[in-house]
Amino acid sequence: MLNKKRISKTIVRQQDQTDCGVACLLSLIKYYEGDGSLEKLRELSGTNRQGTTLLGLYQAANQLGFDAQGCEANIQAIIDHRTPLILHVLIDERLEHYIICYRYENGKFVIGDPAKGIYELSAKELEAIWVSRTCLTLAPNDEFVKAKAIARSKKVWFLTLLKEDYKLLGISIGIGVTMAVLGTSMAIFSQKLIDDILPSNDLKRLLTGLALLSFLLMARVGFSTLRELFLIRQSKDFNNRIIDKFYDSLLRLPKAFFDTRKIGELVARLNDTNRIQRVIKFLASNLLIDILSAIVALSFLYYYSWKIGLIATINLPIYFLIIYGFNSKIITAQKEVMQGYASSESHYINSMQGIASIKNHNGLNIFKKLNQLIYGNFQQKVFDLGKIKIRLSLFSGIAGVLFLIAVLGFGSYQVYQQAMSLGELMAVLGMAGTLMPAITNLALVAIPINEAKIAFQRMFEFASMQQEVTDGTHIEKFDSLEISDLTFRFAGRSRLLKGVNMKVHKGECVAIVGESGSGKSTLGQLLQKFYQKESGNIIVNGKMDLDGIAMESWRNHIGVVSQDIHLFNGTVLDNILMGTEDSVENVVKFVQQHGFEPFFSQFPQGLGTIVGEEGINLSGGQRQVVALARVLYKRPQLLILDEATAAMDRNTEKFTLRLLERLKDELTVILISHRLHTLKNFADRIYVLEDGKVAHGGGHKELLLTHNFYSEFWQELNADKKPTLVSA
Ligand SMILES: Nc1ncnc2c1ncn2[C@@H]1O[C@H](COP(=O)(O)OP(=O)(O)OP(=O)(O)O)[C@@H](O)[C@H]1O
């Protein structure tokens, strides 16, 4: 029998239309008691704005510990298949969608639909929408990680973050306990004052009592200040530590992670760490005091009147029931607020970065409207959460008032009956006055805890991702690189490189040319170890596979100037040094020796000119010159230039090529370029990338003998140069 309860508990709803595939996969992960997030699955499956391919789902499932298989099947095969599978269907004859078919039972298919939930379909109904007849079967294998194991590692991660704070937190908790006890002194004193001191007419007793009370209250103020001090110190240390750890984990994630993320979302998550700290502080400062205040106050209530104590005890579960009812609503609303915040942050960054395109396209109004929509949506979520919180406070507030009235009413009755003194009534009211806010705070504690839980969850999601593999063999120098039968595909995409073969030796310059989108830059990125190849070999120095070489060692030997040059905030000098400790004189010497001086002297303050967001904007060509100086200063042995001269004027490009020619003995160059005319005299070999393979390779003359992308260029150029008859 199919466990429908388990299905309805584990089905994950899609966040938008493109998520249906990953939502199906996540539902099945949860169905098999695992855990995960849409975020992670999106990355593993290469989900983008068009959605997820079945191939992407297959790849993600296999990486997550499933034995997955994509197949074509028919209805009978699904009836016979007794475990859940994902079907690719067509809704309303046009919309591609994924659903889960859990099982065929009692003449119907039990369907889990990330858009609509759980329902049943007859064979005929399913046949009508399952047009492609493709499906993904999956069964968890030994590598499948159960949710419990994930929760354990989450806990360990969190505790390691908090470990160094135990002492400070312990001290502030200790102070908190003392404060909770001292907090009762006022109530006790009021009882003594009314029942004993005032009737005795003894001024000395009154003064002694007041002095004692002043001392206790002062001590409370002193302790409170001290505790605040400890807590802000803990805040500072914890925030530094958590951001340091999180930022470090982020930087160590593979490049593929950043390809699919919006910067705003990442920044929002970094800011989320503050929420966690706020809650730790709140818990350490308020929670324990509230618990202790409640216990102490309740004990005193029992001490003065067991009946009033009982009234209080009965009242407590009411609060917790109220909170329990609100819990899931708050969690969902809070998640949405955070998501809304991340989206609006991302929208700001995106629009600021693309300000030129917005202006050129007269897109101000559209972006303004978009902002109203995105930010409005965020504020609506904040409003919705606020409404839930207000409802919660309202109910708990009403329960509080009812409780106080009950205590006052019953206490007054006791005084009428002379079962209680007036002073005791005052003390009881005082105690009830401390008990109520403490209980209300405890009842509301679910909110910050949930907030921190979500923030932690969002942070852990990134921090726990597989980082770049950095270890391996160190190499002393670079001699040669040989690529054979290299294949590669981006997650969920068809194969981009289908068996690339090429080689380059020390002192050589090879060029890679081909149409846009043929995979040249991707090949360059594979050489930078940004992505994992699918198959084939990249052999370094004739013996070592690139995969086995330590990341740091490899990156020490290579230098890259890529299509998108990023200059960091700081001076030109800072950008050349990139954190290396060296004297300015040495950099100046380097700049002079390499002939960069005329370029940098054009900048207002030469090497000291501030570039990047806070300084002047350099032209595209100037940026490329700075990037070239930066990479050569690193003294790489293998230089990868990806359209590195594309923005330069003819003279600057000539300077660059001459400089590289000069350095050729100590430098191997891989040049990815569309500037084919430059290659004739510069490149020792030219590889033409076509349909994922090196279709042609050789020197300039050799390539001109066959028909290819490179020879076509020269043919057209020569044709253009032929004299034409000018009609009179
Ligand atoms: N991170 C990515 N995820 C998925 N697909 C990608 C990613 N990066 C690039 N692609 C795709 O891979 C293909 C090859 O891109 P690549 O940048 O390597 O081409 P290219 O030959 O260098 O093009 P160009 O000459 O225009 O620079 C393109 O279709 C591109 O859309």
Coordinates of all heavy atoms in Angstrom, one line a residue, residues 562-591:
S562 N 41.1 37.4 -19.2 CA 39.8 36.9 -19.7 C 39.1 38.0 -20.4 O 39.4 39.2 -20.4 CB 39.0 36.2 -18.7 OG 38.6 37.2 -17.7
Q563 N 37.9 37.6 -21.0 CA 37.1 38.6 -21.7 C 36.6 39.7 -20.8 O 36.5 40.8 -21.1 CB 35.9 37.9 -22.4 CG 36.2 37.2 -23.6 CD 35.0 36.4 -24.2 OE1 34.0 36.4 -23.6 NE2 35.2 35.9 -25.4
D564 N 36.1 39.2 -19.6 CA 35.6 40.2 -18.7 C 36.6 40.5 -17.7 O 36.9 39.7 -16.8 CB 34.3 39.7 -17.9 CG 33.5 38.7 -18.7 OD1 33.1 39.1 -19.7 OD2 33.4 37.6 -18.2
I565 N 37.2 41.7 -17.8 CA 38.3 42.1 -16.9 C 37.7 42.7 -15.7 O 36.9 43.6 -15.8 CB 39.3 43.0 -17.6 CG1 40.1 42.1 -18.5 CG2 40.3 43.7 -16.6 CD1 40.8 42.9 -19.6
H566 N 38.1 42.3 -14.5 CA 37.6 43.0 -13.3 C 38.8 43.7 -12.6 O 39.8 43.0 -12.3 CB 36.9 42.0 -12.4 CG 36.3 42.6 -11.2 ND1 35.0 43.2 -11.3 CD2 36.8 43.0 -10.0 CE1 34.8 43.8 -10.2 NE2 35.8 43.6 -9.4
L567 N 38.7 45.0 -12.5 CA 39.7 45.7 -11.7 C 39.1 46.0 -10.4 O 37.9 46.4 -10.3 CB 40.1 47.0 -12.4 CG 40.8 46.8 -13.8 CD1 41.2 48.2 -14.3 CD2 42.0 45.9 -13.7
F568 N 39.8 45.7 -9.3 CA 39.3 45.9 -8.0 C 39.4 47.4 -7.5 O 40.3 48.1 -8.0 CB 40.0 45.0 -7.0 CG 39.8 43.5 -7.3 CD1 40.6 42.8 -8.2 CD2 38.6 42.9 -6.8 CE1 40.3 41.5 -8.5 CE2 38.4 41.6 -7.2 CZ 39.2 40.9 -8.0
N569 N 38.6 47.7 -6.5 CA 38.7 49.1 -6.0 C 40.1 49.3 -5.4 O 40.6 48.5 -4.6 CB 37.7 49.3 -4.8 CG 36.3 49.3 -5.3 OD1 36.1 49.6 -6.5 ND2 35.4 49.0 -4.5
G570 N 40.8 50.3 -5.8 CA 42.1 50.5 -5.4 C 42.9 51.2 -6.5 O 42.4 51.6 -7.5
T571 N 44.2 51.3 -6.3 CA 45.0 52.0 -7.3 C 45.5 51.0 -8.4 O 45.3 49.8 -8.2 CB 46.3 52.6 -6.7 OG1 47.0 51.5 -6.1 CG2 46.0 53.6 -5.6
V572 N 46.0 51.5 -9.5 CA 46.5 50.7 -10.5 C 47.6 49.7 -9.9 O 47.7 48.5 -10.2 CB 47.1 51.5 -11.7 CG1 47.8 50.6 -12.7 CG2 46.1 52.4 -12.3
L573 N 48.4 50.4 -9.0 CA 49.5 49.6 -8.4 C 48.9 48.4 -7.6 O 49.4 47.3 -7.7 CB 50.2 50.5 -7.4 CG 51.4 49.9 -6.7 CD1 52.6 49.7 -7.6 CD2 51.8 50.8 -5.5
D574 N 47.8 48.7 -6.8 CA 47.2 47.6 -6.0 C 46.7 46.5 -6.9 O 46.8 45.3 -6.6 CB 45.9 48.2 -5.3 CG 46.3 49.2 -4.2 OD1 47.4 49.1 -3.7 OD2 45.5 50.1 -3.9
N575 N 46.2 46.9 -8.1 CA 45.6 45.9 -9.0 C 46.7 45.1 -9.6 O 46.5 44.0 -10.0 CB 44.8 46.6 -10.1 CG 43.3 46.7 -9.6 OD1 42.6 45.8 -9.7 ND2 43.0 47.9 -9.2
I576 N 47.9 45.7 -9.8 CA 49.0 44.9 -10.3 C 49.6 44.0 -9.3 O 49.8 42.8 -9.5 CB 50.1 45.8 -10.9 CG1 49.6 46.6 -12.1 CG2 51.4 45.1 -11.2 CD1 50.6 47.6 -12.7
L577 N 49.7 44.5 -8.1 CA 50.2 43.7 -7.0 C 49.3 42.6 -6.5 O 49.7 41.5 -6.1 CB 50.6 44.6 -5.8 CG 51.9 45.4 -5.9 CD1 51.9 46.4 -4.7 CD2 53.1 44.5 -5.8
M578 N 48.0 42.8 -6.6 CA 47.0 41.9 -6.1 C 47.4 41.2 -4.8 O 47.3 40.0 -4.6 CB 46.8 40.7 -7.1 CG 46.0 41.1 -8.3 SD 44.2 41.4 -8.0 CE 43.6 39.8 -7.8
G579 N 47.8 42.1 -3.8 CA 48.1 41.6 -2.5 C 49.5 41.1 -2.3 O 49.9 40.8 -1.2
T580 N 50.3 41.0 -3.4 CA 51.7 40.5 -3.2 C 52.4 41.6 -2.5 O 52.3 42.8 -2.8 CB 52.3 40.3 -4.6 OG1 51.4 39.7 -5.4 CG2 53.6 39.5 -4.5
E581 N 53.3 41.2 -1.6 CA 54.1 42.2 -0.9 C 55.4 42.5 -1.7 O 56.2 41.6 -1.8 CB 54.4 41.7 0.5 CG 53.2 41.9 1.4 CD 53.5 41.5 2.9 OE1 54.7 41.5 3.3 OE2 52.5 41.3 3.6
D582 N 55.4 43.6 -2.2 CA 56.6 44.0 -3.0 C 56.8 45.5 -2.9 O 55.8 46.2 -2.6 CB 56.4 43.6 -4.4 CG 57.7 43.5 -5.2 OD1 58.8 43.8 -4.6 OD2 57.7 43.1 -6.4
S583 N 58.0 46.0 -3.2 CA 58.2 47.4 -3.1 C 57.7 48.1 -4.3 O 57.6 47.5 -5.4 CB 59.7 47.7 -2.9 OG 60.3 47.3 -4.1
V584 N 57.3 49.4 -4.2 CA 56.8 50.2 -5.3 C 57.9 50.3 -6.4 O 57.7 50.2 -7.6 CB 56.4 51.6 -4.8 CG1 55.9 52.4 -6.0 CG2 55.4 51.5 -3.7
E585 N 59.2 50.4 -5.9 CA 60.3 50.5 -6.8 C 60.3 49.3 -7.8 O 60.5 49.4 -9.0 CB 61.7 50.6 -6.1 CG 61.9 51.8 -5.3 CD 61.1 51.9 -4.0 OE1 61.0 50.8 -3.4 OE2 60.5 52.9 -3.7
N586 N 60.1 48.1 -7.2 CA 60.2 46.9 -8.0 C 59.1 46.9 -9.1 O 59.3 46.5 -10.2 CB 60.0 45.7 -7.2 CG 61.3 45.3 -6.5 OD1 62.3 45.8 -6.9 ND2 61.2 44.4 -5.5
V587 N 57.9 47.4 -8.7 CA 56.8 47.4 -9.7 C 57.1 48.5 -10.8 O 56.9 48.2 -11.9 CB 55.4 47.8 -9.0 CG1 54.3 47.8 -10.0 CG2 55.1 46.8 -7.9
V588 N 57.6 49.6 -10.3 CA 58.0 50.6 -11.3 C 59.0 50.1 -12.3 O 58.9 50.3 -13.5 CB 58.5 51.9 -10.6 CG1 59.1 52.9 -11.6 CG2 57.4 52.6 -9.8
K589 N 60.0 49.3 -11.7 CA 61.0 48.7 -12.6 C 60.4 47.8 -13.6 O 60.7 47.8 -14.8 CB 62.0 48.0 -11.7 CG 63.4 48.0 -12.3 CD 64.5 47.8 -11.2 CE 64.8 46.3 -11.1 NZ 65.6 46.0 -10.0
F590 N 59.5 47.0 -13.1 CA 58.8 46.0 -13.9 C 58.0 46.7 -15.1 O 58.1 46.4 -16.2 CB 57.8 45.2 -13.1 CG 56.7 44.5 -13.9 CD1 57.0 43.3 -14.5 CD2 55.4 45.1 -14.0 CE1 56.0 42.6 -15.2 CE2 54.5 44.4 -14.7 CZ 54.7 43.2 -15.3
V591 N 57.3 47.8 -14.7 CA 56.5 48.6 -15.6 C 57.4 49.2 -16.7 O 57.1 49.1 -17.9 CB 55.7 49.7 -14.9 CG1 55.2 50.7 -15.8 CG2 54.6 49.1 -14.1

